[in-house]
Coordinates of all heavy atoms in Angstrom, one line a residue:
M21 N 8.1 12.7 -5.8 CA 6.8 12.2 -5.3 C 6.7 12.5 -3.8 O 7.7 12.4 -3.1 CB 6.7 10.7 -5.5 CG 5.3 10.1 -5.4 SD 5.2 8.3 -5.4 CE 5.6 8.0 -7.1
G22 N 5.5 12.8 -3.3 CA 5.3 13.2 -1.9 C 5.2 11.9 -1.0 O 5.6 10.8 -1.4
V23 N 4.8 12.2 0.2 CA 4.7 11.1 1.1 C 3.5 10.2 0.7 O 2.4 10.7 0.4 CB 4.5 11.6 2.5 CG1 4.1 10.5 3.5 CG2 5.7 12.3 3.0
M24 N 3.7 8.9 0.7 CA 2.7 7.9 0.3 C 2.0 7.5 1.6 O 2.7 7.1 2.6 CB 3.2 6.7 -0.4 CG 3.7 7.0 -1.8 SD 2.3 7.5 -2.9 CE 1.6 5.9 -3.1
E25 N 0.7 7.5 1.6 CA 0.0 7.0 2.8 C -0.9 5.8 2.5 O -1.3 5.6 1.3 CB -0.9 8.1 3.3 CG -0.2 9.3 4.0 CD -1.1 10.3 4.6 OE1 -2.2 10.5 4.0 OE2 -0.7 10.8 5.7
A26 N -1.1 4.9 3.4 CA -1.9 3.8 3.3 C -2.6 3.6 4.6 O -2.2 4.0 5.7 CB -1.1 2.5 2.9
Y27 N -3.7 2.8 4.5 CA -4.5 2.5 5.7 C -3.9 1.4 6.5 O -3.6 0.3 5.9 CB -5.9 2.2 5.4 CG -6.8 2.0 6.6 CD1 -7.3 3.1 7.3 CD2 -7.1 0.7 7.1 CE1 -8.1 2.9 8.4 CE2 -7.8 0.5 8.2 CZ -8.4 1.6 8.9 OH -9.1 1.4 10.0
C28 N -3.5 1.5 7.7 CA -3.0 0.5 8.6 C -4.1 -0.1 9.4 O -4.8 0.6 10.1 CB -1.9 1.0 9.5 SG -1.2 -0.2 10.6
V29 N -4.3 -1.5 9.3 CA -5.4 -2.1 10.0 C -5.1 -2.1 11.5 O -6.0 -2.2 12.3 CB -5.6 -3.5 9.5 CG1 -6.1 -3.5 8.1 CG2 -4.4 -4.4 9.6
K30 N -3.8 -2.1 11.9 CA -3.5 -2.2 13.3 C -3.6 -0.8 14.0 O -4.1 -0.7 15.1 CB -2.0 -2.7 13.4 CG -1.8 -3.4 14.7 CD -0.4 -4.1 14.7 CE -0.1 -4.8 16.0 NZ 1.2 -5.4 16.0
C31 N -3.1 0.2 13.3 CA -3.3 1.6 13.8 C -4.7 2.2 13.6 O -5.0 3.1 14.2 CB -2.2 2.5 13.1 SG -0.5 2.1 13.4
R32 N -5.4 1.5 12.7 CA -6.8 2.0 12.3 C -6.8 3.4 11.9 O -7.7 4.2 12.1 CB -7.7 1.8 13.5 CG -7.9 0.3 13.9 CD -8.9 0.2 15.0 NE -9.1 -1.2 15.3 CZ -9.8 -1.6 16.4 NH1 -10.5 -0.7 17.1 NH2 -9.9 -2.9 16.6
T33 N -5.8 3.8 11.1 CA -5.7 5.1 10.5 C -4.8 5.1 9.3 O -4.1 4.1 9.1 CB -5.3 6.2 11.6 OG1 -5.4 7.5 11.0 CG2 -3.8 5.9 12.0
K34 N -4.7 6.2 8.6 CA -3.8 6.3 7.5 C -2.4 6.6 8.1 O -2.3 7.5 8.9 CB -4.2 7.4 6.6 CG -5.3 6.9 5.6 CD -5.6 7.9 4.5 CE -6.6 7.3 3.5 NZ -6.8 8.3 2.4
V35 N -1.4 5.9 7.5 CA -0.1 6.1 8.0 C 0.9 6.3 6.8 O 0.5 6.0 5.7 CB 0.4 4.9 8.8 CG1 -0.5 4.7 10.1 CG2 0.3 3.6 8.0
E36 N 2.0 6.7 7.1 CA 3.1 6.8 6.1 C 3.6 5.5 5.7 O 3.9 4.7 6.6 CB 4.2 7.8 6.6 CG 5.2 8.1 5.5 CD 6.2 9.1 6.1 OE1 5.9 9.8 7.0 OE2 7.4 9.1 5.6
I37 N 3.8 5.2 4.4 CA 4.4 3.9 4.0 C 5.9 4.0 4.1 O 6.5 4.9 3.5 CB 3.9 3.6 2.6 CG1 2.4 3.5 2.5 CG2 4.6 2.3 2.1 CD1 1.9 3.2 1.0
K38 N 6.4 3.0 4.8 CA 7.9 3.0 4.9 C 8.4 1.9 4.0 O 7.8 0.8 3.9 CB 8.3 2.7 6.4 CG 9.7 2.8 6.7 CD 9.9 2.4 8.2 CE 11.4 2.2 8.4 NZ 11.6 1.6 9.7
D39 N 9.6 2.1 3.4 CA 10.2 1.1 2.5 C 9.2 0.7 1.4 O 9.2 -0.5 1.0 CB 10.7 -0.1 3.3 CG 11.7 0.3 4.3 OD1 12.4 1.2 4.1 OD2 11.7 -0.4 5.4
G40 N 8.5 1.7 0.9 CA 7.5 1.3 -0.2 C 8.1 1.0 -1.5 O 9.2 1.5 -1.9
E41 N 7.5 0.0 -2.2 CA 8.0 -0.3 -3.5 C 6.8 -0.7 -4.4 O 5.8 -1.2 -3.9 CB 9.0 -1.5 -3.5 CG 8.4 -2.8 -3.0 CD 9.5 -3.9 -3.2 OE1 10.2 -3.9 -4.2 OE2 9.6 -4.8 -2.3
E42 N 6.9 -0.3 -5.6 CA 5.8 -0.6 -6.6 C 5.8 -2.0 -7.0 O 6.9 -2.5 -7.4 CB 5.9 0.4 -7.8 CG 5.5 1.8 -7.5 CD 5.4 2.7 -8.7 OE1 5.4 2.1 -9.8 OE2 5.4 3.9 -8.5
V43 N 4.7 -2.7 -7.0 CA 4.6 -4.0 -7.5 C 3.3 -4.1 -8.4 O 2.3 -3.4 -8.1 CB 4.5 -5.1 -6.4 CG1 5.8 -5.1 -5.6 CG2 3.3 -4.8 -5.5
I44 N 3.4 -5.0 -9.4 CA 2.2 -5.2 -10.2 C 1.6 -6.6 -9.9 O 2.3 -7.6 -9.9 CB 2.6 -5.1 -11.7 CG1 3.0 -3.6 -12.0 CG2 1.4 -5.5 -12.6 CD1 3.6 -3.4 -13.4
I45 N 0.3 -6.6 -9.6 CA -0.3 -7.8 -9.2 C -1.5 -8.1 -10.1 O -2.2 -7.2 -10.5 CB -0.8 -7.7 -7.7 CG1 0.4 -7.5 -6.8 CG2 -1.6 -8.9 -7.4 CD1 -0.1 -7.3 -5.3
D46 N -1.5 -9.4 -10.6 CA -2.6 -9.8 -11.4 C -3.8 -10.1 -10.6 O -3.9 -11.1 -9.8 CB -2.2 -11.1 -12.2 CG -2.5 -11.0 -13.6 OD1 -3.3 -10.2 -14.0 OD2 -1.8 -11.7 -14.4
T47 N -4.8 -9.2 -10.6 CA -6.1 -9.5 -9.9 C -7.2 -10.0 -10.8 O -7.0 -10.0 -12.0 CB -6.5 -8.2 -9.2 OG1 -7.1 -7.3 -10.2 CG2 -5.4 -7.5 -8.4
K48 N -8.3 -10.3 -10.2 CA -9.4 -10.8 -11.0 C -9.9 -9.7 -11.9 O -10.6 -9.9 -12.9 CB -10.5 -11.3 -10.1 CG -10.2 -12.6 -9.5 CD -11.3 -13.1 -8.5 CE -10.9 -14.4 -7.9 NZ -11.8 -14.8 -6.8
R49 N -9.7 -8.4 -11.6 CA -10.1 -7.3 -12.4 C -9.0 -6.7 -13.2 O -9.1 -5.6 -13.6 CB -10.7 -6.2 -11.4 CG -12.0 -6.7 -10.7 CD -12.5 -5.6 -9.8 NE -13.7 -6.1 -9.1 CZ -14.3 -5.3 -8.2 NH1 -13.9 -4.1 -7.9 NH2 -15.4 -5.8 -7.6
G50 N -8.0 -7.5 -13.5 CA -6.9 -7.1 -14.3 C -5.7 -6.7 -13.5 O -5.7 -6.8 -12.3
K51 N -4.6 -6.4 -14.2 CA -3.4 -6.1 -13.6 C -3.5 -4.7 -12.9 O -3.9 -3.7 -13.5 CB -2.2 -6.1 -14.6 CG -1.8 -7.4 -15.0 CD -0.5 -7.4 -15.8 CE -0.1 -8.8 -16.2 NZ 1.1 -8.8 -17.1
K52 N -3.0 -4.7 -11.6 CA -3.1 -3.4 -10.9 C -1.7 -3.1 -10.3 O -1.0 -4.0 -9.9 CB -4.2 -3.4 -9.9 CG -5.5 -3.3 -10.5 CD -6.6 -3.0 -9.4 CE -8.0 -2.9 -10.0 NZ -8.2 -1.8 -10.9
K53 N -1.4 -1.8 -10.2 CA -0.2 -1.4 -9.6 C -0.4 -1.1 -8.1 O -1.3 -0.4 -7.8 CB 0.4 -0.2 -10.3 CG 1.9 0.0 -10.1 CD 2.3 1.4 -10.6 CE 2.5 1.3 -12.1 NZ 3.0 2.7 -12.6
F54 N 0.4 -1.7 -7.3 CA 0.3 -1.4 -5.8 C 1.6 -0.8 -5.3 O 2.6 -1.1 -5.8 CB 0.0 -2.7 -5.1 CG -1.4 -3.3 -5.3 CD1 -1.7 -4.1 -6.4 CD2 -2.4 -3.1 -4.3 CE1 -2.9 -4.6 -6.5 CE2 -3.6 -3.6 -4.5 CZ -3.9 -4.4 -5.6
M55 N 1.4 0.0 -4.2 CA 2.5 0.4 -3.4 C 2.5 -0.5 -2.2 O 1.6 -0.4 -1.4 CB 2.4 1.9 -3.1 CG 3.5 2.4 -2.2 SD 5.2 2.3 -3.0 CE 5.1 3.7 -4.1
M56 N 3.6 -1.3 -2.0 CA 3.6 -2.2 -0.9 C 4.8 -1.7 0.1 O 5.8 -1.2 -0.4 CB 4.0 -3.6 -1.3 CG 3.0 -4.2 -2.3 SD 1.6 -5.0 -1.6 CE 2.4 -6.5 -1.0
G57 N 4.5 -1.8 1.3 CA 5.5 -1.3 2.3 C 5.1 -1.7 3.7 O 4.2 -2.5 3.9
T58 N 5.7 -1.0 4.6 CA 5.3 -1.2 6.0 C 4.9 0.1 6.7 O 5.3 1.2 6.3 CB 6.5 -1.8 6.8 OG1 7.6 -0.9 6.7 CG2 6.9 -3.2 6.3
C59 N 4.0 -0.1 7.7 CA 3.6 1.1 8.4 C 4.7 1.7 9.2 O 5.5 1.0 9.8 CB 2.5 0.6 9.4 SG 2.1 1.9 10.6
S60 N 4.9 3.0 9.0 CA 6.0 3.7 9.7 C 5.8 3.8 11.2 O 6.8 4.2 11.9 CB 6.1 5.1 9.1 OG 5.0 5.9 9.3
V61 N 4.6 3.5 11.7 CA 4.4 3.6 13.1 C 4.6 2.2 13.8 O 5.3 2.1 14.8 CB 2.9 4.1 13.4 CG1 2.7 4.1 14.9 CG2 2.7 5.4 12.8
C62 N 3.9 1.2 13.3 CA 4.0 -0.1 14.0 C 4.7 -1.2 13.2 O 4.9 -2.3 13.7 CB 2.6 -0.6 14.3 SG 1.6 -1.1 12.9
G63 N 5.0 -1.0 11.9 CA 5.7 -2.0 11.1 C 4.8 -3.1 10.4 O 5.4 -4.0 9.8
T64 N 3.5 -2.9 10.6 CA 2.6 -3.9 9.9 C 2.7 -3.6 8.4 O 2.9 -2.5 8.0 CB 1.2 -3.7 10.4 OG1 1.1 -4.0 11.8 CG2 0.2 -4.5 9.6
K65 N 2.5 -4.7 7.6 CA 2.5 -4.5 6.2 C 1.3 -3.8 5.7 O 0.2 -4.1 6.1 CB 2.6 -5.9 5.5 CG 3.9 -6.5 5.5 CD 4.0 -7.8 4.7 CE 5.4 -8.4 4.7 NZ 5.4 -9.7 4.1
V66 N 1.5 -2.8 4.9 CA 0.4 -2.0 4.3 C 0.6 -1.9 2.8 O 1.7 -2.1 2.3 CB 0.4 -0.6 4.9 CG1 0.1 -0.6 6.4 CG2 1.7 0.2 4.7
S67 N -0.5 -1.6 2.1 CA -0.4 -1.5 0.7 C -1.5 -0.5 0.2 O -2.6 -0.4 0.9 CB -0.5 -2.8 0.0 OG -1.8 -3.4 0.2
R68 N -1.4 0.1 -0.9 CA -2.4 0.9 -1.5 C -2.4 0.7 -3.0 O -1.3 0.5 -3.6 CB -2.3 2.3 -1.1 CG -1.2 3.1 -1.7 CD -1.3 4.6 -1.4 NE -2.3 5.3 -2.2 CZ -2.6 6.5 -2.0 NH1 -2.1 7.2 -1.0 NH2 -3.5 7.1 -2.8
V69 N -3.6 0.8 -3.6 CA -3.7 0.7 -5.0 C -3.2 2.0 -5.7 O -3.6 3.1 -5.3 CB -5.1 0.4 -5.5 CG1 -5.2 0.2 -7.0 CG2 -5.6 -0.9 -4.8
L70 N -2.4 1.9 -6.7 CA -2.0 3.1 -7.4 C -2.8 3.3 -8.7 O -2.9 4.4 -9.2 CB -0.5 3.0 -7.7 CG 0.5 3.0 -6.5 CD1 1.9 2.8 -7.0 CD2 0.3 4.2 -5.7
G71 N -3.2 2.2 -9.2 CA -4.0 2.3 -10.5 C -3.8 1.0 -11.3 O -3.2 0.1 -10.9
N72 N -4.4 1.1 -12.5 CA -4.2 0.0 -13.5 C -2.8 -0.1 -14.0 O -2.2 1.0 -14.2 CB -5.2 0.1 -14.6 CG -6.7 0.0 -14.1 OD1 -7.0 -0.8 -13.2 ND2 -7.6 0.8 -14.6
A73 N -2.3 -1.3 -14.3 CA -1.0 -1.4 -14.8 C -1.0 -1.9 -16.2 O -2.1 -2.4 -16.7 CB -0.2 -2.4 -13.9
Ligands
ZN125 ZN1 0.4 0.8 11.9

């Protein structure tokens, strides 16, 4: 898999996800798979949706 990117609210841009791990979260719209990690620039928690789980 290539580099995963997510939007960082602190950097206000897309950043590389550091220490990313896949988690499945039960949302109101069904179970979804997320990539959770930290911003490689500032360390803020970031996440992105990968799809339905
Ligand atoms: Zn950041």
Side-chain angles (χ1 to χ4, degrees):
M21 197 188 289
V23 171
M24 290 293 287
E25 289 185 324
Y27 183 81
C28 175
V29 294
K30 207 168 179 184
C31 298
R32 294 182 181 177
T33 187
K34 281 191 174 180
V35 296
E36 189 179 331
I37 300 176
K38 190 182 167 191
D39 301 329
E41 63 175 323
E42 285 186 15
V43 293
I44 293 172
I45 296 175
D46 228 339
T47 73
K48 287 176 181 174
R49 293 180 181 176
K51 285 187 177 177
K52 287 192 182 296
K53 199 190 282 185
F54 288 83
M55 177 65 73
M56 306 270 287
T58 57
C59 170
S60 61
V61 178
C62 71
T64 295
K65 281 185 180 176
V66 295
S67 66
R68 71 174 279 171
V69 180
L70 296 177
N72 294 321

